[in-house]
Amino acid sequence: MENKKTRLGNGTVTLIEQGGITIHCYDTADALADAAFLIEAEDALVGLELPSFKADSGSWKGYIEALPRRVDAFFVSAHPAGGSLVGDTPVYATRKAECAMHHGSTQATTDGLGAAFGPDFQAADKVKVTDVVEPGDLRIRSLQLRVVDQGDVYDLVIPQAKAVYMHMLGKTVHSIIPSIEAAKAMASSLEAYLDEGLEYFLSSHSGIEGRDAAQEKIRYLDKLVGLASASADGQSFKQAMEEAFPGYAGGNYLDMTVGMLFA
């Protein structure tokens, strides 16, 4: 994966060029390992997600304002904190994602993080969705996109760049899996993206990863389904997962999965 890295605030910006598209990935290096993105075409520029902490939001805003092109739209799926960064730029989301941001699971998560981290985490500064989009193809100037419904969040495919944005992936990170059905659905989506020939997997907590990350996550999900079915209780399931995937980060994510699968 060829890329160019530069420092920005406490983190780094990685640039990848593919098919006439430049992907800007801002790894904030914040306490949540958050990432935000810009997708740049010849005549279009769109943002994906927002930095949640004040300092990172300021750094990203400065970076964006230094670019020669104005942002045409922001797509926000799971990270609505720090909404004032967008100014008067249109904000796109599916109806389900918008509801989750303001009345559902995403709101609860955002508010909880605000309580945990204090005012530096911009929980009260939630973005406002201006344009509700339906799943399917969408064009912004010459930039072709595809919105994929994933319930309270959505994926965004950038075909020309052979890339897809999804909220979370992580090659060697445990995943938050609320149900066996969710595990199977995620594996199915990843298999479809691989079959489509996508090469870059963008996520809000792992930056830019390759096909190997998607392949490993499918293996992880398949193993998780089998171990959950074979485990008598949450503790034995957690132990089996830790033995199957030693050295994986995100132990708190595994704890959340245990709590939901063995409630």
Side-chain angles (χ1 to χ4, degrees), residues 138-183:
L138 175 68
R139 180 178 289 274
I140 297 181
R141 301 185 189 273
S142 66
L143 183 60
Q144 185 67 42
L145 303 167
R146 187 171 79 248
V147 177
V148 181
D149 177 38
Q150 299 289 4
D152 284 353
V153 297
Y154 60 91
D155 296 346
L156 192 69
V157 179
I158 309 106
Q160 190 175 341
K162 296 184 179 180
V164 59
Y165 163 79
M166 54 203 315
H167 178 215
M168 301 181 80
L169 188 61
K171 181 179 178 179
T172 57
V173 181
H174 287 290
S175 294
I176 303 170
I177 305 298
S179 66
I180 296 300
E181 293 72 20

Side-chain angles (χ1 to χ4, degrees), residues 180 184 222-233 237 261-262:
I180 296 300
K184 293 179 178 179
D222 288 345
K223 188 69 172 178
L224 180 149
V225 170
L227 291 176
S229 300
S231 298
D233 53 37
F237 167 72
L261 295 185
F262 292 88

Side-chain angles (χ1 to χ4, degrees), residues 101-115:
M101 286 182 221
H102 296 286
H103 309 290
S105 62
T106 306
Q107 179 194 33
T109 299
T110 304
D111 291 348
L113 291 170

